[in-house]
């Protein structure tokens, strides 16, 4: 099942998260998106410690679509160097994974 991944990133505003979700799902780079937030993040950035509120974006896709999804997110993300990570889905219901396949499996990005 490592053919599937959950990709996460974050944005400063809810509207930015919704726009990224819309663009990747409508382009069939991800089967679905969940937006969670606001969440509080603590981080080091440019040598300084900081905290802030962010909106977490979780995307479900196949590993063979990850590179294309990453390119899209990096091109359209409002931040210059956003957090962008993919975690393997090691288990999932057959119906859910078939759904991911049906959405992203045979379509080229738009």
């Amino acid at each position: 099942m490592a053919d599937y991944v959950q990709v996460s990133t974050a944005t400063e505003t809810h509207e930015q998260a919704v726009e990224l979700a819309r663009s990747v799902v409508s382009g069939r780079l991800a089967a679905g998106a969940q937006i969670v937030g606001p969440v509080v993040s603590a981080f080091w950035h440019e040598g300084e410690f900081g905290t802030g509120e962010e909106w977490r974006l979780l995307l479900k896709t196949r590993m063979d679509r990850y590179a294309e999804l990453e390119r899209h997110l990096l091109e359209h993300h409002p931040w210059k160097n956003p957090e962008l990570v993919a975690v393997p889905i090691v288990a999932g219901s057959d119906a859910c994974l078939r759904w991911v396949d049906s959405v992203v499996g045979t379509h080229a990005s738009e």
Side-chain angles (χ1 to χ4, degrees), residues 1-9 56 58-63 66 69 83-91:
M1 289 201 198
D3 293 341
Y4 303 92
V5 291
Q6 179 168 277
V7 178
S8 67
T9 192
R56 173 77 38 211
L58 302 171
L59 307 160
K60 289 162 284 306
T61 194
R62 287 182 8 172
M63 191 61 209
Y66 175 78
L69 174 60
E83 171 190 346
L84 185 56
V85 296
V87 178
I89 297 174
V90 297

Side-chain angles (χ1 to χ4, degrees), residues 3 6 10 15 40 47 50-52 60 62 75 82 98 104 109:
D3 293 341
Q6 179 168 277
E15 293 76 18
V40 175
T51 61
K60 289 162 284 306
R62 287 182 8 172
E75 181 179 329
R98 280 193 309 270
V104 303
S109 70

Side-chain angles (χ1 to χ4, degrees), residues 24-47:
V24 298
V25 173
S26 67
R28 295 184 180 264
L29 298 172
Q34 295 173 311
I35 298 168
V36 182
V39 298
V40 175
S41 292
F43 51 85
W44 283 96
H45 181 68
E46 297 181 352

